[in-house]
Amino acid sequence: MRLIIMSILVKGVKDMADSNMSDNIEAYLKQILQQANEIEIRRAEIARRFNVVPSQINYVIKTRFGAENGYLVESKRGGGGYIRIVKMALRTEPDLIEEMRQSLPEIVSFRTATAVISSLYREQILTRREGELLLTMLSKEALAVGDATIQGRIRARLLQQLLNRLRFESERD
């Protein structure tokens, strides 16, 4: 199912005033994504709705809707441009796990690691316990080597290996 967002009003947007604006925009888009696996938005319209600059929308999409978060983002620039956000079905498509793996940078922050693990949990690829154990192993405390860059590289390698294994398992199913 595909939903094109032009002027959809989502109940509860005004109730989110207490939290951070980026969180509000993320919650709004995710609420719409619950109704459809794919949406198309116009950056300027969402920016007007939340009374922010369009670059704020770019920031939210880049940091919260990437492959590591379980989403595929496409954009078309120009007058009739749009941003398409597609919720990835990780379990059924090993190519999407591979895309998630390839999108990881060489140095991964704990926040990015948490986003990857959360996506895998949300897609029921990992159990809650497995996710919590992995996050413990990927934590700053567990990887304390005295150098944040080395710590990020180790975290990236561990996530790469996890995604390789999951991709292999999904190809066998």
Side-chain angles (χ1 to χ4, degrees):
M1 174 182 232
R2 187 171 142 212
L3 182 63
I4 298 178
I5 308 300
M6 294 297 177
S7 296
I8 293 178
L9 293 174
V10 174
K11 185 180 176 185
V13 171
K14 292 183 181 173
D15 298 334
M16 295 187 276
D18 293 342
S19 57
N20 164 326
M21 187 56 68
S22 293
D23 293 341
N24 294 347
I25 296 165
E26 175 188 15
Y28 173 75
L29 294 173
K30 284 184 175 178
Q31 190 170 6
I32 295 167
L33 280 162
Q34 287 179 345
Q35 301 168 21
N37 287 333
E38 178 179 326
I39 61 172
E40 288 182 6
I41 61 170
R42 297 203 188 287
R43 186 177 70 143
E45 288 179 16
I46 302 296
R48 271 194 302 277
R49 175 175 308 283
F50 287 92
N51 197 27
V52 297
V53 294
S55 62
Q56 177 85 23
I57 306 305
N58 287 349
Y59 169 79
V60 171
I61 290 171
K62 182 177 180 178
T63 60
R64 306 192 183 186
F65 290 92
E68 69 275 6
N69 295 306
Y71 298 94
L72 183 63
V73 177
E74 303 171 1
S75 64
K76 178 184 175 219
R77 297 181 183 264
Y82 60 84
I83 297 173
R84 180 179 295 137
I85 304 172
V86 181
K87 199 180 329 177
M88 296 191 296
L90 297 176
R91 182 176 283 275
T92 58
E93 300 196 32
D95 292 343
L96 294 176
I97 293 175
E98 175 62 15
E99 185 171 329
M100 182 184 268
R101 190 187 70 75
Q102 288 182 5
S103 74
L104 285 176
E106 286 184 32
I107 299 171
V108 172
S109 68
F110 184 70
R111 179 184 172 126
T112 299
T114 301
V116 170
I117 300 301
S118 295
S119 294
L120 296 171
Y121 170 73
R122 196 173 42 252
E123 293 296 326
Q124 299 178 347
I125 294 171
L126 296 176
T127 66
R128 180 182 183 97
R129 183 169 188 276
E130 290 168 338
E132 289 172 354
L133 290 170
L134 286 166
L135 287 176
T136 299
M137 292 173 53
L138 296 170
S139 71
K140 293 175 185 175
E141 296 78 17
L143 299 177
V145 292
D147 183 327
T149 302
I150 293 171
Q151 184 179 35
R153 288 183 194 281
I154 294 169
R155 190 177 291 115
R157 286 185 198 151
L158 292 168
L159 280 172
Q160 290 281 348
Q161 289 304 308
L162 172 68
L163 292 170
N164 277 335
R165 175 61 187 237
L166 293 172
R167 184 189 56 175
F168 174 73
E169 287 178 2
S170 68
E171 288 174 347
R172 286 190 331 195
D173 292 342

